[in-house]
Amino acid sequence: MSQTPGALGRRYLPFLILAAVQVLIIAIAPSKTPVAVTATGATGSNGQTLVAGQVLDQNGQPLDGVTQQADGTFVDASGNVVTSVTAGASGAAKAANADMSKCDKTGHQIGPPGYKLMPPCVPVWHGGDNGGATMTGVTKDAINFVVYVAQGNAEVNAILATQGLAASAEQSCEARAAFYKEINKGYFETYGRKFVAMDGPGANKGSTQQSPCNFPYFQGQCALTPPDPPCGLAEAKVIASMHPAFVIGTYGDSMSEYLASQHIIVLGGGSAPGEYYQERTPYYYGILMDGYRQADLDAEYWCKRMNAKPAVQAGADVKTTRNWGKAPGETPVRKLAAIFPETNGDESSFLSVKRFKENVTGKMCNSPGGVLMIPYQSDITTAQ
């Protein structure tokens, strides 16, 4: 069963925020990469010994074939001027004395305690031209972003509470504030910029939705169950008018597709088909496995381990009492059904299930009886 936007946000918010930072690393880097000519015996970022005259990129790696001329320009092996790099102010000393104090021994930035997915290390930036407004939502001082929070549903929250997944508005706000504080501690090289959370306008103003926490976010007003894609699209247009660099959390495909089309990075997609991400690259990211890959893995498991085999783990009524086997009292062969949400024109779940069905009815194996497709509306009022 597909995850609801609210459940996804509560469970994966820390990962989404950190993933958002990772996505932005290249976009916010200065457009001209500093390089320097080394002194004899200097050491590169990977511990290699460098020789006089080598030109390094900002990661401390040699730029093969690039040399610095007497007039300060750089040329490649063919004598062509390389205009995408500039010399460091301190020349040879810059390479040998690059500040790598925020890098660990594996060559990555030092991240939050226990976090293992940091980007490759770069020297600490100590000022200069950081490229300014390198993309939507980015200025020379700030990286503006929006946290989208779907409208809660009392019945859904009651169900989530039985699994320890429910949280009050105040608890959720405090968690967002804590993560926000963490990403601004300087773990990531943002070239002098700070991450800035944006508040929604009017009824979408998240900072006033609870107290005493006043962290700014966009409080969605669209019904969670049943979903309302036109409402999600309308809110996407409001968010786009705020011009953020990225959005954490999403209402559904209608919102994600529009924001990506406006070149705003979206993080929080669920298990949509892989083609959804490919079509919207590089502006759409999900924390879960894409639906096509999940369909292929599920189909492979079914075909290798379960297809055409008796339902030995079923209850007595299935194995014997109902006489569904070939002979009275014989355990029947497994049959296959797929239950999936089919909601208001959003066919993302259907496409993944369709791929699974194709796999187990010809591409990977042939399942006796085929696949019984059971669509349902994601509506709490009809869930029972």
Side-chain angles (χ1 to χ4, degrees), residues 342-377:
E342 190 174 57
T343 306
N344 298 333
D346 179 2
E347 62 175 0
S348 58
S349 294
F350 168 74
L351 291 175
S352 296
V353 174
K354 178 173 177 285
R355 184 181 179 105
F356 173 78
K357 179 180 179 180
E358 292 170 348
N359 283 335
V360 299
T361 56
K363 287 187 175 180
M364 292 187 180
C365 64
N366 283 297
S367 303
V371 181
L372 176 61
M373 303 284 276
I374 308 176
Y376 69 90
Q377 289 296 311

Side-chain angles (χ1 to χ4, degrees), residues 184-221:
N184 270 318
K185 283 185 175 180
Y187 296 118
F188 304 93
E189 182 53 75
T190 57
Y191 304 96
R193 303 176 180 92
K194 291 290 186 182
F195 291 98
V196 178
M198 306 177 76
D199 222 349
N204 302 119
K205 191 177 182 68
S207 63
T208 60
Q209 302 286 329
Q210 61 285 305
S211 182
C213 180
N214 301 119
F215 178 81
Y217 63 91
F218 191 102
Q219 177 59 65
Q221 298 299 307

Side-chain angles (χ1 to χ4, degrees), residues 3-309:
Q3 295 275 359
T4 65
L8 279 173
R10 279 185 287 271
R11 181 175 294 181
Y12 295 110
L13 180 62
F15 303 101
L16 291 173
I17 290 180
L18 289 169
V21 178
Q22 306 282 45
V23 170
L24 284 164
I25 294 301
I26 294 177
I28 65 174
S31 57
K32 292 186 176 182
T33 304
V35 298
V37 180
T38 73
T40 302
T43 302
S45 62
N46 287 341
Q48 74 274 40
T49 299
L50 305 172
V51 298
Q54 278 187 308
V55 178
L56 306 182
D57 63 18
Q58 68 170 6
N59 294 322
Q61 294 297 304
L63 293 173
D64 293 336
V66 177
T67 58
Q68 187 175 24
Q69 305 301 294
D71 62 1
T73 61
F74 292 89
V75 297
D76 61 21
S78 299
N80 299 313
V81 176
V82 179
T83 59
S84 61
V85 296
T86 58
S90 58
K94 185 175 178 62
N97 299 321
D99 184 354
M100 311 300 284
S101 60
K102 293 187 178 181
C103 300
D104 64 20
K105 61 183 180 181
T106 69
H108 294 82
Q109 299 289 111
I110 297 174
Y115 190 67
K116 305 296 184 183
L117 300 176
M118 295 298 290
C121 67
V122 295
V124 177
W125 188 76
H126 291 291
D129 181 8
N130 67 359
T134 59
M135 63 173 286
T136 300
V138 175
T139 70
K140 68 181 182 65
D141 301 313
I143 302 167
N144 298 307
F145 70 98
V146 167
V147 175
Y148 179 84
V149 178
Q151 183 69 30
N153 179 277
E155 293 176 271
V156 172
N157 285 339
I159 294 172
L160 292 173
T162 65
Q163 304 301 315
L165 296 175
S168 68
E170 176 66 21
Q171 289 171 326
S172 296
C173 179
E174 290 174 358
R176 296 181 196 107
F179 297 135
Y180 175 69
K181 181 178 179 181
E182 195 71 12
I183 63 174
N184 270 318
K185 283 185 175 180
Y187 296 118
F188 304 93
E189 182 53 75
T190 57
Y191 304 96
R193 303 176 180 92
K194 291 290 186 182
F195 291 98
V196 178
M198 306 177 76
D199 222 349
N204 302 119
K205 191 177 182 68
S207 63
T208 60
Q209 302 286 329
Q210 61 285 305
S211 182
C213 180
N214 301 119
F215 178 81
Y217 63 91
F218 191 102
Q219 177 59 65
Q221 298 299 307
C222 303
L224 180 62
T225 174
D228 185 353
C231 181
L233 176 58
E235 290 197 330
K237 292 180 178 180
V238 175
I239 294 173
S241 70
M242 298 166 62
H243 305 294
F246 61 93
V247 177
I248 300 172
T250 178
Y251 179 76
D253 191 60
S254 59
M255 175 177 285
S256 301
E257 181 175 17
Y258 181 80
L259 291 173
S261 74
Q262 300 302 301
H263 295 177
I264 296 171
I265 296 171
V266 182
L267 296 110
S271 51
E275 64 186 28
Y276 278 43
Y277 300 97
Q278 295 164 4
E279 291 170 357
R280 298 162 192 174
T281 186
Y283 298 103
Y284 188 41
Y285 299 84
I287 196 70
L288 303 177
M289 184 182 298
D290 78 69
Y292 281 173
R293 181 173 296 185
Q294 186 69 63
D296 292 346
L297 289 174
D298 289 348
E300 181 182 10
Y301 187 87
W302 167 265
C303 290
K304 290 181 177 180
R305 300 292 298 274
M306 303 176 74
N307 182 44
K309 294 182 179 180

